[in-house]
Amino acid sequence: MVNSVSDNSDEKEFWENVDTQFEEKVQDFSKTLNIAVIGKVSSGKSSLINALLKKSRKKAIADVGAEAGVTTKLKILRLDDRVRLIDSPGLDDVRSGNSDITREFLKHIDVGIIVVTGAADASQKRYLDDLREHCESVFVVLNKIDEWDKHSPLALEKVVTQWKEVLKIEKIYPVCAFGYDVDTLPGTPLDIRGVYWLREDIENFLSSKGKDLLLARHMGEKKSYAVGIIATALVAVAVQAFIPGSAVYITATQGAAIVSLSYLYTGEVLSSKAAFALLPAFASEAATTTLFLWVKSFLPPTGIIDIAAAVVATSITLAILATINSVLESGAKLEEEELLKSKFRTYRKQAETTLKGLALTDLKDLTSWKGIIEKFL
């Protein structure tokens, strides 16, 4: 994190290098994400969509009703300008939609989810094959596993095995997404089972395509995604502190994380200029450590000083990103400089206390950081 440098030419070169690193780190939010959820009427597709997006009953986005056939034909859910989700009995229904949206959707489906229920049905194989022809990745879900709760534990296992055999697949996700029906008795808790593993694998696939935040933006609960963004940045900073010219890399990492957090909470894509414009407010509150990092970043590796720099860099970065997260989560604006400074002072003290005594291996471990950040936030 850098406020200014003495020579204008040095400053220009510094920010050019930061911009280069920034472009390599930040997601391309201009991409689109298309998800198709295919399955028979009353297979529980709408409930699954709500559970997948971590929605509460009151904030459900897909209509669910107790009567069969609430979703009897193609339904297009536009989560935003970049993310579309189609809920349909099959791709034939998507094709018959005969609109610009459905034609464009069929050209590229990122994720296909086929939802089945009950006993194994070989006729579903053609829907799976059709989906595979249009999708980069397909997930098969056995929904309504609560139907087997009164049977022997082996009954569900047997059904799962049969579905694998008739569909010729290696993996199926047994899930339950009960409780979204509008006629569910008040006070009845949601029964969500198995959806976590499905969501995790979908998110891992989307992450490999640089599209995970496009979906995370629409999750009903965002803390876990914020934790992931911050933890990833801190691991990077801990490593970058040992690199000559580390100030460039650290500044770029901080900026990219700020952009990701902003998109997660607001759906707005900050420019690099807007993200970096926030950093001087923090630099003014940590002038001594900022200068230390700046000077140290142009020295050769020296062991003990590098470890100290890693602790300082991660401590400041944690305080910065915790501040950004807090402001965005509260609905306040990032332009409120005095609010940023006030929160940063508090978080900086907490960060210094939290990181005291941490080993270098902890600073470079993503799992360790996630545990620290969850408590920190």
Side-chain angles (χ1 to χ4, degrees), residues 117-152:
T117 59
D121 177 3
S123 69
Q124 294 298 300
K125 181 70 164 58
R126 71 181 184 91
Y127 294 103
L128 174 59
D129 292 341
D130 192 17
L131 200 55
R132 279 174 169 164
E133 289 182 11
H134 290 82
C135 296
E136 287 196 53
S137 187
V138 176
F139 300 84
V140 181
V141 174
L142 174 60
N143 201 7
K144 300 187 177 183
I145 59 171
D146 52 311
E147 295 177 350
W148 308 97
D149 286 350
K150 295 182 180 180
H151 294 72
S152 160

Side-chain angles (χ1 to χ4, degrees), residues 32-36 38 74 76 84 86 88 90-110 130-136:
T32 58
L33 173 60
N34 292 327
I35 300 175
I38 302 301
L74 176 69
I76 302 172
R84 291 177 298 189
I86 280 187
S88 175
L91 290 186
D92 284 340
D93 295 88
V94 179
R95 295 186 186 95
S96 64
N98 195 31
S99 69
D100 291 340
I101 292 177
T102 55
R103 282 195 294 272
E104 186 64 29
F105 190 91
L106 281 168
K107 288 180 183 178
H108 185 80
I109 303 175
D110 298 278
D130 192 17
L131 200 55
R132 279 174 169 164
E133 289 182 11
H134 290 82
C135 296
E136 287 196 53

Side-chain angles (χ1 to χ4, degrees), residues 240-287:
Q240 291 160 351
F242 290 82
I243 302 173
S246 58
V248 167
Y249 303 99
I250 292 171
T251 302
T253 296
Q254 292 169 345
I258 289 170
V259 170
S260 294
L261 288 170
S262 175
Y263 183 81
L264 176 68
Y265 284 105
T266 70
E268 297 176 2
V269 182
L270 284 182
S271 66
S272 59
K273 183 177 180 180
F276 295 138
L278 298 170
L279 297 181
F282 303 119
S284 66
E285 294 295 322

Side-chain angles (χ1 to χ4, degrees), residues 12-215:
K12 181 179 179 182
E13 182 181 358
F14 171 80
W15 286 110
E16 286 176 351
N17 291 335
V18 169
D19 280 332
T20 299
Q21 292 297 319
F22 174 87
E23 292 299 328
E24 293 179 1
K25 296 176 185 299
V26 74
Q27 275 195 25
D28 180 3
F29 295 112
S30 66
K31 292 178 179 178
T32 58
L33 173 60
N34 292 327
I35 300 175
V37 183
I38 302 301
K40 289 181 177 180
V41 172
S42 299
S43 60
K45 299 188 299 299
S46 295
S47 291
L48 177 64
I49 290 169
N50 285 315
L52 191 63
L53 295 179
K54 300 183 179 180
K55 298 298 182 181
S56 65
R57 186 182 292 119
K58 290 182 178 179
K59 295 185 178 180
I61 65 165
D63 294 336
V64 180
E67 295 181 11
V70 169
T71 307
T72 57
K73 57 182 181 180
L74 176 69
K75 178 187 290 184
I76 302 172
L77 300 173
R78 297 181 70 105
L79 303 186
D80 61 31
D81 291 339
R82 300 179 184 88
V83 183
R84 291 177 298 189
L85 190 152
I86 280 187
D87 172 352
S88 175
L91 290 186
D92 284 340
D93 295 88
V94 179
R95 295 186 186 95
S96 64
N98 195 31
S99 69
D100 291 340
I101 292 177
T102 55
R103 282 195 294 272
E104 186 64 29
F105 190 91
L106 281 168
K107 288 180 183 178
H108 185 80
I109 303 175
D110 298 278
V111 173
I113 302 173
I114 182 166
V115 183
V116 298
T117 59
D121 177 3
S123 69
Q124 294 298 300
K125 181 70 164 58
R126 71 181 184 91
Y127 294 103
L128 174 59
D129 292 341
D130 192 17
L131 200 55
R132 279 174 169 164
E133 289 182 11
H134 290 82
C135 296
E136 287 196 53
S137 187
V138 176
F139 300 84
V140 181
V141 174
L142 174 60
N143 201 7
K144 300 187 177 183
I145 59 171
D146 52 311
E147 295 177 350
W148 308 97
D149 286 350
K150 295 182 180 180
H151 294 72
S152 160
L154 294 177
L156 177 59
E157 185 178 330
K158 182 178 179 181
V159 171
V160 168
T161 300
Q162 290 173 341
W163 273 110
K164 288 180 178 179
E165 290 174 351
V166 301
L167 296 181
K168 295 179 172 53
I169 56 174
E170 294 183 1
K171 188 167 188 177
I172 190 169
Y173 298 83
V175 307
C176 176
F178 173 79
Y180 286 102
D181 295 359
V182 294
D183 293 330
T184 301
L185 291 173
T188 302
L190 292 174
D191 183 359
I192 309 297
R193 285 180 261 168
V195 178
Y196 171 86
W197 304 110
L198 171 66
R199 186 190 304 116
E200 182 176 59
D201 284 353
I202 290 175
E203 289 172 346
N204 287 339
F205 168 74
L206 292 178
S207 178
S208 71
K209 300 295 180 181
K211 295 186 175 186
D212 49 317
L213 281 180
L214 294 175
L215 184 61

Side-chain angles (χ1 to χ4, degrees), residues 221-259:
E221 181 275 309
K222 295 182 173 62
K223 182 179 178 181
S224 62
Y225 301 97
V227 167
I229 291 169
I230 297 172
T232 300
L234 292 173
V235 169
V237 166
V239 174
Q240 291 160 351
F242 290 82
I243 302 173
S246 58
V248 167
Y249 303 99
I250 292 171
T251 302
T253 296
Q254 292 169 345
I258 289 170
V259 170

